[in-house]
């Protein structure tokens, strides 16, 4: 996944990922603070700048939708981690169980195909 902060474009394997303005703004802040926890309050302030702010729960809704779009675009990779009671953090993708099994087989020298 590539996040071009100058052009405000998100892509996976050179294919654009279509995000709403709010989804992009969340991904932007998480990307700028990669590896650190971003609180819901920080995200809310980033999205609304202190004016007419909705409830904090709206952040969870936006993050849920963003996660679904990123997982669909990347084939199931998960980049956004929930840090319970604190907020969210972006990191390198966590492989799905199927991907982990595939990699483990390859590392063990086993073929990806079935043999009789």
């Amino acid at each position: 996944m590539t996040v071009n902060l100058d052009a405000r474009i998100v892509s996976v394997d050179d294919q654009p990922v279509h995000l709403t303005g709010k989804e992009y703004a969340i991904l932007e802040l998480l990307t700028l603070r990669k590896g650190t926890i971003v609180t819901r309050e920080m995200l809310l302030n980033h999205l609304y700048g202190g004016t007419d702010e909705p409830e904090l729960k709206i952040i969870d809704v936006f993050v849920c939708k963003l996660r679904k779009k990123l997982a669909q675009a990347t084939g199931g990779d998960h980049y956004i981690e929930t840090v319970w009671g604190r907020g969210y953090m972006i990191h390198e993708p966590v492989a799905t169980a199927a991907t982990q099994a595939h990699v483990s087989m390859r590392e063990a020298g086993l073929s990806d195909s079935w043999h009789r």
Side-chain angles (χ1 to χ4, degrees), residues 14-47:
D14 294 323
Q15 296 298 313
V17 179
H18 300 286
L19 302 176
T20 67
K22 302 284 191 221
E23 292 165 347
Y24 176 82
I26 288 171
L27 186 59
E28 175 184 57
L29 185 58
L30 289 170
T31 301
L32 289 170
R33 296 180 169 262
K34 184 177 180 181
T36 62
I37 297 169
V38 178
T39 66
R40 286 175 181 83
E41 291 83 1
M42 291 168 67
L43 289 165
L44 202 60
N45 189 49
H46 184 68
L47 294 179

Side-chain angles (χ1 to χ4, degrees), residues 53-116:
E53 291 182 357
E55 296 290 322
L56 278 177
K57 276 297 204 188
I58 194 67
I59 298 300
D60 299 333
V61 174
F62 288 140
V63 169
C64 179
K65 290 180 180 183
L66 177 58
R67 280 180 171 149
K68 285 180 183 178
K69 288 181 180 182
L70 294 178
Q72 184 178 20
T74 62
D77 290 339
H78 297 280
Y79 289 86
I80 301 172
E81 175 186 351
T82 299
V83 182
W84 294 108
R86 301 193 56 208
Y88 297 98
M89 181 180 357
I90 197 165
H91 53 76
E92 294 302 316
V94 176
T96 62
T99 304
Q100 289 173 344
H102 180 76
V103 170
S104 296
M105 284 178 58
R106 197 170 349 138
E107 288 173 352
L110 300 174
S111 172
D112 292 342
S113 60
W114 292 94
H115 296 283
R116 293 185 188 246

